[in-house]
Amino acid sequence: MSSYPKNYPFYNWVPKPLGILILVLLFIPILTVGGVYTANSGEMMSGLGIQSEHIQFVGFLTSIGMAAFSPFFYELVCIRREKMMCLTGFAAMYALSYVCTRTDSVFLLALCSLIMGFLRMVLMMVNLFTLIKYAFGMEATRNITPGNEPRDAEGWDRLDSEKSVSMPTIYLFFMILGQIGTSLTAWLAYEYEWQYVYYYMMGMTLVAILVIFVTMPYHRYPGRRFPINFRKFGSVVIFCAMCTSVVYVLVYGKVLDWYDAPTIRWATAAALLFTGLFVYMESTHRSPYFLMDVFRLRTIRTGILLFLLLMVLNSSALFVNVFTGVGMKIDNWQNAALNNWAILGYFIGAVVAIALGKRGVHLKYLFALGFVFIGLSALFMYFEVQTAGLYERMKYPVIIRATGMMLLYSLTAVLANQRMPYKYLSTWICIMLTVRMMLGPAVGTALYTNVMQQRQQHYITRLAHDADLTSPETAASYTATVRGMMLQGKSRQEAEQMAALSAKGKVQVQATLASVKEMSGWTLYACMGCAVLVMVMPYRKRRITTNTHIS
């Protein structure tokens, strides 16, 4: 690093405050450029004529691409070629965004999303470590280099205490930027067309390329050879195929009637095949892409369980979306604006995590508090769901759920990193992203949507039994609708058909609201059960010995 100029990565004429601002602003295109945008899914479905499961599937592939990069994390952040890596990454992002604007193929959207997820993670990690070095004068790679670990238990405990403050701060920064990006894409799709989201992102990448080209000098490659070989990219392909097969089953199982569909059976077989092949390759190779013995660490196994429980229960966020969509008929932009209240929840959660962490409060109490907050959000929905619900009150469950999510989101990473040898860091990030951004949300979405559909059918059957002309309320509504349609010039037959559809729509709305209320109650019970579980679980730390034995 000594061969680099003092003002690395910028030219000497760039003032330090301006350099810090540039590096911070570069995170905006990095975090917002993606192959698909959930916030404009409605516009994409209508514009491309595709079903919502396609959007979910393609969105999960972006997360798979991000996880697939993670085992390369340490090698790439040590290269220290900010200019060339950013120019190459942003140029590729521009080209892939252009393909997304032009194609109507779900396969191409999925492939572009997978690659863009990989590139997004590369750019985010490279830019983050460069920002730390430039703004604070710290070479952060030394703190993750194998062999530089603390030598005794006191040193590890001091490092873990520092992470309990730094992790919530870092997560707050990225989650706020991510929420702003989601709101921005929803606004663009609402005001214009869904393609304009990609055009805007393409414009941002061009601006980023121009700024980087003007302010950063060229630096030679520091080593003799690139640290990632071709065989490891073979492991990336197998990993992506394995995760894609699992996500396909979870996303499309409901619409294809699960194992009655041959594609679900083939996807399940592929998932098992690629999982076995991946485990075999990584267990037998001398320089593996993924360190399988990471699962021997108790904290890693606990972290996987906590992230899985968190993301499954966090899927209860759909209660707000379903209630506002069915009961209030709001659009994607209003829904995104409502979800912006999550920023306040993230801030509250981060402050609570840092404040209680500094006071030495045990992590199990903070985990329990996080699940309690998610449960309170479900409890609010249980009492609020009604035909006369107010849009303005829906911000409260969003804030409460985001508070609990931030507590668990950031502190689970703190727990998993406790006394973890640095050689496992890249593999842990891969596991974390796979569970937190792909497996957990996919399982949660599949669970909640399938149960929601089943309960809706139950309540439709139950409510429709009494929704006939023998019911005074139904008869009055039916007669009023028929009379109104006939006054508008409709024939008797047409008026009766429209009145029947109106009655059916009311039954469906009531069934949906009843389903949301019932599932909110079950979510509360599940959250309380998880709170009890994390309180009684053992939290023994790894013993530190001279031979670094893992126990």
Side-chain angles (χ1 to χ4, degrees), residues 293-531:
D293 56 347
V294 71
F295 294 108
R296 294 168 60 193
L297 292 171
R298 180 192 299 272
T299 54
I300 296 295
R301 299 194 299 269
T302 305
I304 293 172
L305 175 63
L306 288 174
F307 270 132
L308 189 60
L309 292 175
L310 163 63
M311 299 317 295
V312 169
L313 292 174
N314 192 58
S315 298
S316 61
L318 69 83
F319 294 156
V320 174
N321 297 335
V322 170
F323 180 49
T324 54
V326 173
M328 304 177 189
K329 307 295 183 184
I330 69 171
D331 52 44
N332 282 342
W333 164 235
Q334 290 175 299
N335 212 12
L338 180 63
N339 286 327
N340 285 338
W341 284 101
I343 294 177
L344 177 58
Y346 296 151
F347 180 78
I348 295 172
V351 170
V352 171
I354 293 172
L356 296 183
K358 283 185 175 181
R359 290 179 173 270
V361 177
H362 197 284
L363 286 176
K364 67 179 180 181
Y365 299 112
L366 298 178
F367 293 147
L369 183 61
F371 282 117
V372 167
F373 272 116
I374 297 176
L376 290 176
S377 175
L379 181 64
F380 186 97
M381 291 302 299
Y382 181 85
F383 289 106
E384 184 65 22
V385 169
Q386 52 185 306
T387 53
L390 296 175
Y391 172 79
E392 292 77 10
R393 291 177 59 83
M394 287 298 99
K395 63 186 177 185
Y396 298 116
V398 172
I399 295 171
I400 297 170
R401 182 187 55 80
T403 301
M405 178 186 175
M406 172 56 84
L407 280 169
L408 288 159
Y409 213 70
S410 57
L411 295 178
T412 298
V414 174
L415 173 69
N417 278 269
Q418 280 186 347
R419 300 188 179 184
M420 182 179 68
Y422 291 164
K423 67 177 182 178
Y424 294 123
L425 180 61
S426 297
T427 302
W428 158 245
I429 294 175
C430 178
I431 295 172
M432 177 178 65
L433 293 179
T434 301
V435 176
R436 192 182 71 193
M437 300 183 67
M438 185 273 290
L439 185 60
V443 171
T445 301
L447 177 64
Y448 273 88
T449 54
N450 278 274
V451 174
M452 177 73 73
Q453 183 186 43
Q454 192 275 331
R455 300 314 295 165
Q456 280 177 315
Q457 293 302 315
H458 168 77
Y459 282 110
I460 285 175
T461 303
R462 182 175 170 182
L463 295 171
H465 182 269
D466 299 322
D468 54 25
L469 293 180
T470 60
S471 168
E473 183 180 348
T474 303
S477 175
Y478 179 87
T479 303
T481 304
V482 170
R483 187 181 300 111
M485 291 298 102
M486 293 181 67
L487 289 174
Q488 295 178 20
K490 304 290 184 181
S491 66
R492 180 83 184 183
Q493 183 178 5
E494 289 177 329
E496 290 178 347
Q497 288 177 345
M498 298 187 75
L501 289 175
S502 175
K504 178 183 177 182
K506 291 178 180 178
V507 169
Q508 288 179 326
V509 168
Q510 291 173 343
T512 301
L513 297 182
S515 301
V516 170
K517 184 180 285 288
E518 179 183 346
M519 291 179 65
S520 296
W522 285 112
T523 299
L524 173 63
Y525 293 144
C527 289
M528 296 304 105
C530 289

Side-chain angles (χ1 to χ4, degrees), residues 57 223 226 280 406 534:
F57 179 67
F226 195 67
Y280 173 77
M406 172 56 84
V534 297

